[in-house]
Amino acid sequence: MTGYLLRRLLLVIPTLFGIITVNFAVIQLAPGGPVEQMIAELRGKGDTTQRITGGSGPEASGQRTGDQSGVYRGARGLDPVVLADIKKMFGFDKPPLERFGKMLSSYVRFDFGRSFFRNETVLHLIAQKMPVSVSIGLWSTLLVYLVSIPLGIAKAVRDGSRFDIATSAVVLIGYAIPGFLFAILLVVLFAGGSFLSIFPLRGLSSSGAENWHWWDRIVDYAWHMVLPTAALVVSGFAGLTMLTKNCFLDEIRKQYTVTARAKGASEQRILYRHIFRNAMLLIIAGFPAAFIGILFSSSLLVEIVFSLDGLGLLGFESAIRRDYPVMFGTLYIFTLFGLVMQIVGDMLYTVVDPRIDFSARQS
């Protein structure tokens, strides 16, 4: 086990390096970088990114000329000294390989630099936004498990019954509706969209809540969490429900279950003393992966819909503005956290079933 764990931890290093390298190379080819955006602002042309996505004309293309100077079109007529100062300010006065090497050496020390546009360190920004995303991801994952596991067990025990067919329709709806689309529906129905105005639409706390009693702050926080959590739960419970059902059905049909019935064991004892532990192995060990999926992918659009100031919204805004330090800093944290959680998932296998020995895979 120790050798397996050590190898998995060492594998994190080349994986991180590969992901950062590929993304750094792709970013170098993307138009509308911070230098171009600063030039556009100096020339009074507005946001370069907006022109790339919706503008027109030669300066809206965000491309570089094909002449020998290789100067961005928006920089034509700009004082070369000013252009050189802008590049130096963003660190683009150095060749890509030198910038990449400097970035890697800083990332080893968890020094992600400063945001180009927010005048704060990337680490401070991540520390500010992390609690929001982790809070949403953790509560949503826990609720998904609390809904899916009992429902999946009930469907397995009543396989083929009216209950199983009726709940399958609900599961099918969960499969069909993306989380962000359900989030918009919740806003329209319950957050002052077109019908009721029961739940708040923005943030995780009310204005002035920091001066309230601690119990009132908890209630206010829970009230703000209802809609974003519900959106993620509805979009995430379907897959886990079917996984739970199939795992239990597979165990119910095995020989040891038939033997237990032949010995006179009750159905409740067979289900929770014999089947439960074996069927729950894959489900419990998959908790880290489910948490990562909700935290890093599903919560992004939900944060945007509900204006939650989390890592998803931070990464989205940084990508739009080409805030490279924040983009790569969040990518580094996301990747590292995801790889560590995968290792935690492997370790959970041994906790749920001590018979699993990863050292046997080494031989």
Side-chain angles (χ1 to χ4, degrees), residues 274-312:
H274 299 279
I275 296 175
F276 189 84
R277 182 175 180 177
N278 294 328
M280 289 298 293
L281 175 61
L282 182 62
I283 299 166
I284 295 178
F287 180 87
F291 175 66
I292 293 170
I294 291 178
L295 178 62
F296 292 162
S297 56
S298 302
S299 63
L300 167 59
L301 293 175
V302 171
E303 285 183 16
I304 295 174
V305 171
F306 292 102
S307 300
L308 301 175
D309 199 11
L311 284 177

Side-chain angles (χ1 to χ4, degrees), residues 220-360:
D220 181 66
Y221 164 78
W223 199 243
H224 281 77
M225 285 287 292
V226 170
L227 293 188
T229 303
L232 291 175
V233 170
V234 168
S235 63
F237 88 100
L240 185 60
T241 298
M242 296 308 299
L243 175 63
T244 303
K245 176 187 176 181
N246 293 333
C247 287
F248 273 80
L249 276 179
D250 184 56
E251 295 296 327
I252 287 173
R253 294 164 180 166
K254 287 186 176 179
Q255 185 62 43
Y256 75 87
T257 306
V258 178
T259 303
R261 286 198 183 95
K263 290 182 178 180
S266 65
E267 289 297 323
Q268 291 291 326
R269 180 180 178 86
I270 294 173
L271 181 62
Y272 292 105
R273 291 291 299 272
H274 299 279
I275 296 175
F276 189 84
R277 182 175 180 177
N278 294 328
M280 289 298 293
L281 175 61
L282 182 62
I283 299 166
I284 295 178
F287 180 87
F291 175 66
I292 293 170
I294 291 178
L295 178 62
F296 292 162
S297 56
S298 302
S299 63
L300 167 59
L301 293 175
V302 171
E303 285 183 16
I304 295 174
V305 171
F306 292 102
S307 300
L308 301 175
D309 199 11
L311 284 177
L313 187 58
L314 175 66
F316 173 76
E317 292 177 347
S318 301
I320 291 297
R321 299 196 66 184
R322 302 297 195 270
D323 195 345
Y324 294 154
V326 180
M327 286 175 58
F328 285 112
T330 52
L331 175 66
Y332 185 87
I333 294 295
F334 282 174
T335 305
L336 181 61
F337 187 71
L339 293 172
V340 171
M341 290 299 285
Q342 287 180 359
I343 297 175
V344 172
D346 285 349
M347 297 301 104
L348 279 177
Y349 278 105
T350 62
V351 174
V352 177
D353 191 349
R355 295 172 299 176
I356 296 178
D357 183 13
F358 284 102
S359 61

Side-chain angles (χ1 to χ4, degrees), residues 22-33 62-64 322 324:
V22 171
N23 282 273
F24 183 86
V26 170
I27 286 298
Q28 304 311 304
L29 303 176
Q63 298 176 350
R64 300 181 183 275
R322 302 297 195 270
Y324 294 154

